[in-house]
Amino acid sequence: MSRKRKPASLSDIATASGYSIATVSRAINHRGNVSPVAQRTIDALVAELGYHTTNACPPPKSTTIAILIPNLSNPFNSSVLEGIRNAATTHDLNVALLMVKETDTDIDYYLNMLKDANYCGVIALAALPDNQTAYQLNHEIPLVMCSEYLEGTEMSYVGIDDNIAAQKATDYLTRIGRRHIALINATTNHKYARQREAGYKQALRRAQLPTDTDLILHINSIRYNLALSKVTDLLRTRTEVDAIFAASDIFAIAALEAARHLGRQVPDDLSVMGFDNTFLATVVSPKLTTIKQPAYEIGHEACEILQEKIARKNAPERHEVLEASLLVREST
């Protein structure tokens, strides 16, 4: 008796056809533009190799969307979640939070997480590992990336231009006369961290200031205590630092405490710039100058796009880049 052949995966069809996973996904779902030749080739391979979906999201009867979130420690996410929840309520959708890891993930990790519940769509606040995984997941269940998204992707996302936002922050610090500007950043496995660092460096070049890599700190989690220790060490050893641009308000608040501990006066001796404009920015003293992300709007728009994808199988993928603005307060 011959062994039953294992059904082909989306990757198998892509490899056999010579087309990208994105093209294969569009052809199978009849979404977007696919050439007649590609459509015929992929259709033939689907029939020959026995491809079928794993039905991570069965039947449109489901009214629950899954929100993939890496942790609850970052207060920025609370406003994003509020925007998602309010949009979901408008469309009679329920919301389920799923805590996910951001490293060592692949398509099987996500499908195993989703298979036991009847979700009709996914909003990912956690970083997906690569475009191939995003394409495969979107093929199984409607997907929108929210806040953190993949570079060069065709999949739907809502966020800001982190590079431009970081340039705004650094440009302001150079305009007020700061010349030794440190960057307190997340680790560069995150798109937003890479882009903010690139924008910081670009603004320094524009101001004809050197980039000192020793003034760039990478912290692997958005946590106050981690940042406080590292910023304290930096300010103690590099006394010429006259400004700190922090890639989150939590990092900036840690910088305020480090300065206080070392007797540095903010903003006279040291300017501190945050990022996100969380509620914390106005409850600390001095109140925090920061980059305002439209967090609520990011979440709300992500849910609106997801609802459209759930309602219409052929809904186009959408990229929404919202504007971040500079809010000047007491810390600069």
Side-chain angles (χ1 to χ4, degrees), residues 165-197:
Q167 288 186 54
K168 286 181 181 179
T170 312
D171 282 342
Y172 172 76
L173 293 172
T174 62
R175 284 200 307 273
I176 63 174
R178 301 306 186 180
R179 292 295 176 264
H180 302 281
I181 304 169
L183 173 66
I184 315 303
N185 200 8
T187 51
T188 54
N189 58 306
H190 298 284
K191 184 274 304 177
Y192 76 84
R194 293 193 299 273
Q195 291 296 313
R196 290 175 196 178
E197 192 161 317

Short mmCIF file of all heavy atoms in Angstrom, two decimals, residues 165-197:
data_model
loop_
_atom_site.label_atom_id
_atom_site.label_comp_id
_atom_site.label_asym_id
_atom_site.label_seq_id
_atom_site.Cartn_x
_atom_site.Cartn_y
_atom_site.Cartn_z
N ALA A 165 10.30 60.67 12.01
CA ALA A 165 9.99 61.09 13.38
C ALA A 165 11.28 61.30 14.18
O ALA A 165 11.40 62.27 14.94
CB ALA A 165 9.11 60.05 14.06
N ALA A 166 12.25 60.40 14.02
CA ALA A 166 13.52 60.54 14.73
C ALA A 166 14.30 61.74 14.24
O ALA A 166 14.99 62.41 15.02
CB ALA A 166 14.34 59.26 14.57
N GLN A 167 14.20 62.03 12.96
CA GLN A 167 14.84 63.24 12.44
C GLN A 167 14.24 64.49 13.09
O GLN A 167 14.97 65.43 13.44
CB GLN A 167 14.70 63.32 10.92
CG GLN A 167 15.54 62.32 10.16
CD GLN A 167 15.47 62.55 8.66
OE1 GLN A 167 15.72 63.65 8.17
NE2 GLN A 167 15.12 61.51 7.92
N LYS A 168 12.92 64.52 13.23
CA LYS A 168 12.27 65.66 13.88
C LYS A 168 12.81 65.87 15.29
O LYS A 168 13.10 66.99 15.70
CB LYS A 168 10.75 65.44 13.95
CG LYS A 168 10.01 65.58 12.65
CD LYS A 168 8.50 65.36 12.87
CE LYS A 168 7.73 65.47 11.57
NZ LYS A 168 6.28 65.25 11.77
N ALA A 169 12.94 64.78 16.02
CA ALA A 169 13.41 64.85 17.41
C ALA A 169 14.84 65.36 17.47
O ALA A 169 15.18 66.27 18.24
CB ALA A 169 13.30 63.48 18.07
N THR A 170 15.71 64.78 16.65
CA THR A 170 17.13 65.14 16.69
C THR A 170 17.37 66.53 16.13
O THR A 170 18.20 67.29 16.65
CB THR A 170 17.96 64.09 15.93
OG1 THR A 170 17.56 62.77 16.35
CG2 THR A 170 19.44 64.27 16.19
N ASP A 171 16.65 66.88 15.07
CA ASP A 171 16.76 68.24 14.51
C ASP A 171 16.44 69.29 15.57
O ASP A 171 17.11 70.32 15.66
CB ASP A 171 15.81 68.41 13.32
CG ASP A 171 16.32 67.77 12.04
OD1 ASP A 171 17.54 67.50 11.96
OD2 ASP A 171 15.51 67.54 11.13
N TYR A 172 15.40 69.04 16.36
CA TYR A 172 15.02 69.99 17.39
C TYR A 172 16.15 70.15 18.42
O TYR A 172 16.49 71.27 18.83
CB TYR A 172 13.74 69.54 18.08
CG TYR A 172 13.39 70.39 19.28
CD1 TYR A 172 12.86 71.67 19.14
CD2 TYR A 172 13.64 69.93 20.57
CE1 TYR A 172 12.57 72.46 20.24
CE2 TYR A 172 13.36 70.70 21.68
CZ TYR A 172 12.82 71.97 21.51
OH TYR A 172 12.56 72.75 22.60
N LEU A 173 16.74 69.03 18.82
CA LEU A 173 17.82 69.10 19.81
C LEU A 173 19.02 69.86 19.27
O LEU A 173 19.68 70.61 20.01
CB LEU A 173 18.22 67.69 20.25
CG LEU A 173 17.15 66.92 21.04
CD1 LEU A 173 17.57 65.47 21.25
CD2 LEU A 173 16.87 67.59 22.38
N THR A 174 19.34 69.68 18.00
CA THR A 174 20.47 70.44 17.43
C THR A 174 20.12 71.92 17.28
O THR A 174 20.98 72.78 17.47
CB THR A 174 20.91 69.86 16.08
OG1 THR A 174 19.84 69.95 15.12
CG2 THR A 174 21.34 68.41 16.22
N ARG A 175 18.86 72.22 16.99
CA ARG A 175 18.45 73.63 16.84
C ARG A 175 18.57 74.39 18.15
O ARG A 175 18.82 75.60 18.14
CB ARG A 175 17.02 73.73 16.31
CG ARG A 175 16.85 73.44 14.84
CD ARG A 175 15.54 74.02 14.29
NE ARG A 175 14.38 73.61 15.04
CZ ARG A 175 13.69 72.50 14.81
NH1 ARG A 175 14.08 71.67 13.84
NH2 ARG A 175 12.62 72.19 15.53
N ILE A 176 18.37 73.72 19.27
CA ILE A 176 18.47 74.42 20.55
C ILE A 176 19.90 74.39 21.10
O ILE A 176 20.14 74.74 22.26
CB ILE A 176 17.48 73.85 21.60
CG1 ILE A 176 17.79 72.40 21.95
CG2 ILE A 176 16.04 74.01 21.11
CD1 ILE A 176 16.94 71.83 23.09
N GLY A 177 20.83 73.98 20.24
CA GLY A 177 22.24 74.10 20.58
C GLY A 177 22.91 72.89 21.18
O GLY A 177 24.08 72.95 21.58
N ARG A 178 22.25 71.76 21.20
CA ARG A 178 22.86 70.55 21.77
C ARG A 178 23.81 69.93 20.74
O ARG A 178 23.48 69.83 19.55
CB ARG A 178 21.79 69.55 22.19
CG ARG A 178 20.81 70.10 23.24
CD ARG A 178 21.54 70.67 24.44
NE ARG A 178 20.61 71.08 25.50
CZ ARG A 178 20.99 71.59 26.66
NH1 ARG A 178 22.27 71.78 26.91
NH2 ARG A 178 20.09 71.94 27.57
N ARG A 179 24.98 69.50 21.20
CA ARG A 179 26.02 69.01 20.29
C ARG A 179 26.51 67.60 20.62
O ARG A 179 27.19 66.98 19.82
CB ARG A 179 27.21 69.98 20.30
CG ARG A 179 26.91 71.33 19.66
CD ARG A 179 26.60 71.15 18.18
NE ARG A 179 26.21 72.37 17.50
CZ ARG A 179 24.96 72.75 17.28
NH1 ARG A 179 23.95 71.99 17.73
NH2 ARG A 179 24.70 73.86 16.63
N HIS A 180 26.18 67.10 21.79
CA HIS A 180 26.60 65.74 22.18
C HIS A 180 25.33 64.97 22.58
O HIS A 180 24.98 64.89 23.76
CB HIS A 180 27.60 65.79 23.32
CG HIS A 180 28.83 66.59 23.00
ND1 HIS A 180 29.87 66.10 22.23
CD2 HIS A 180 29.17 67.87 23.31
CE1 HIS A 180 30.80 67.02 22.10
NE2 HIS A 180 30.40 68.11 22.74
N ILE A 181 24.66 64.43 21.57
CA ILE A 181 23.33 63.85 21.74
C ILE A 181 23.43 62.33 21.77
O ILE A 181 23.86 61.70 20.80
CB ILE A 181 22.39 64.30 20.60
CG1 ILE A 181 22.34 65.83 20.53
CG2 ILE A 181 21.00 63.71 20.79
CD1 ILE A 181 21.66 66.37 19.28
N ALA A 182 23.04 61.76 22.88
CA ALA A 182 23.02 60.30 23.01
C ALA A 182 21.67 59.75 22.54
O ALA A 182 20.65 60.43 22.62
CB ALA A 182 23.28 59.89 24.45
N LEU A 183 21.69 58.53 22.05
CA LEU A 183 20.45 57.83 21.65
C LEU A 183 20.27 56.61 22.55
O LEU A 183 21.15 55.76 22.64
CB LEU A 183 20.54 57.38 20.19
CG LEU A 183 19.39 56.49 19.70
CD1 LEU A 183 18.07 57.25 19.70
CD2 LEU A 183 19.69 55.92 18.31
N ILE A 184 19.13 56.53 23.22
CA ILE A 184 18.77 55.36 24.01
C ILE A 184 17.72 54.61 23.22
O ILE A 184 16.57 55.03 23.11
CB ILE A 184 18.22 55.75 25.40
CG1 ILE A 184 19.10 56.84 26.04
CG2 ILE A 184 18.11 54.52 26.28
CD1 ILE A 184 20.55 56.46 26.18
N ASN A 185 18.11 53.50 22.65
CA ASN A 185 17.28 52.82 21.65
C ASN A 185 16.98 51.39 22.09
O ASN A 185 17.63 50.82 22.96
CB ASN A 185 18.02 52.80 20.30
CG ASN A 185 17.11 52.57 19.12
OD1 ASN A 185 15.88 52.57 19.25
ND2 ASN A 185 17.69 52.40 17.95
N ALA A 186 15.95 50.81 21.45
CA ALA A 186 15.70 49.37 21.58
C ALA A 186 16.71 48.62 20.72
O ALA A 186 17.52 49.23 20.01
CB ALA A 186 14.27 49.05 21.16
N THR A 187 16.68 47.31 20.76
CA THR A 187 17.59 46.53 19.93
C THR A 187 17.13 46.56 18.47
O THR A 187 15.94 46.65 18.18
CB THR A 187 17.66 45.08 20.42
OG1 THR A 187 16.33 44.56 20.56
CG2 THR A 187 18.36 45.00 21.76
N THR A 188 18.09 46.47 17.57
CA THR A 188 17.80 46.70 16.16
C THR A 188 17.20 45.50 15.44
O THR A 188 17.12 45.49 14.22
CB THR A 188 19.06 47.18 15.42
OG1 THR A 188 20.12 46.25 15.65
CG2 THR A 188 19.48 48.56 15.92
N ASN A 189 16.78 44.47 16.17
CA ASN A 189 15.96 43.44 15.53
C ASN A 189 14.55 43.96 15.27
O ASN A 189 13.78 43.33 14.54
CB ASN A 189 15.90 42.17 16.38
CG ASN A 189 15.35 42.42 17.78
OD1 ASN A 189 15.86 43.29 18.50
ND2 ASN A 189 14.33 41.68 18.17
N HIS A 190 14.22 45.13 15.84
CA HIS A 190 12.94 45.77 15.59
C HIS A 190 13.08 46.79 14.46
O HIS A 190 14.02 47.59 14.47
CB HIS A 190 12.43 46.49 16.84
CG HIS A 190 12.17 45.58 18.00
ND1 HIS A 190 11.07 44.77 18.08
CD2 HIS A 190 12.89 45.36 19.12
CE1 HIS A 190 11.11 44.09 19.21
NE2 HIS A 190 12.21 44.43 19.87
N LYS A 191 12.13 46.80 13.55
CA LYS A 191 12.14 47.77 12.46
C LYS A 191 12.15 49.19 12.98
O LYS A 191 12.90 50.05 12.52
CB LYS A 191 10.93 47.53 11.54
CG LYS A 191 10.87 48.41 10.28
CD LYS A 191 10.22 49.77 10.45
CE LYS A 191 8.82 49.70 11.00
NZ LYS A 191 8.25 51.07 11.21
N TYR A 192 11.29 49.47 13.97
CA TYR A 192 11.19 50.84 14.46
C TYR A 192 12.52 51.32 15.04
O TYR A 192 12.90 52.49 14.88
CB TYR A 192 10.06 50.97 15.49
CG TYR A 192 10.34 50.42 16.87
CD1 TYR A 192 11.00 51.18 17.82
CD2 TYR A 192 9.91 49.14 17.22
CE1 TYR A 192 11.25 50.68 19.09
CE2 TYR A 192 10.16 48.64 18.49
CZ TYR A 192 10.82 49.40 19.42
OH TYR A 192 11.08 48.91 20.67
N ALA A 193 13.26 50.43 15.71
CA ALA A 193 14.54 50.81 16.29
C ALA A 193 15.57 51.10 15.21
O ALA A 193 16.35 52.06 15.32
CB ALA A 193 15.03 49.72 17.23
N ARG A 194 15.60 50.28 14.17
CA ARG A 194 16.53 50.53 13.06
C ARG A 194 16.23 51.86 12.40
O ARG A 194 17.14 52.65 12.09
CB ARG A 194 16.43 49.41 12.03
CG ARG A 194 16.92 48.06 12.50
CD ARG A 194 17.07 47.10 11.33
NE ARG A 194 15.81 46.83 10.63
CZ ARG A 194 14.94 45.89 10.98
NH1 ARG A 194 15.17 45.14 12.05
NH2 ARG A 194 13.84 45.69 10.28
N GLN A 195 14.95 52.13 12.18
CA GLN A 195 14.56 53.35 11.49
C GLN A 195 14.82 54.60 12.36
O GLN A 195 15.24 55.64 11.85
CB GLN A 195 13.10 53.28 11.07
CG GLN A 195 12.81 52.27 9.97
CD GLN A 195 13.51 52.64 8.68
OE1 GLN A 195 13.47 53.78 8.23
NE2 GLN A 195 14.20 51.68 8.09
N ARG A 196 14.56 54.51 13.65
CA ARG A 196 14.80 55.65 14.53
C ARG A 196 16.29 55.95 14.62
O ARG A 196 16.71 57.10 14.65
CB ARG A 196 14.17 55.41 15.91
CG ARG A 196 12.66 55.44 15.86
CD ARG A 196 11.98 55.09 17.18
NE ARG A 196 10.57 54.77 16.95
CZ ARG A 196 9.71 54.40 17.87
NH1 ARG A 196 10.10 54.31 19.15
NH2 ARG A 196 8.46 54.12 17.56
N GLU A 197 17.09 54.90 14.66
CA GLU A 197 18.54 55.11 14.70
C GLU A 197 19.03 55.73 13.40
O GLU A 197 19.89 56.62 13.42
CB GLU A 197 19.24 53.77 14.96
CG GLU A 197 20.69 53.91 15.29
CD GLU A 197 21.25 52.66 15.98
OE1 GLU A 197 20.57 52.11 16.87
OE2 GLU A 197 22.36 52.25 15.60
#
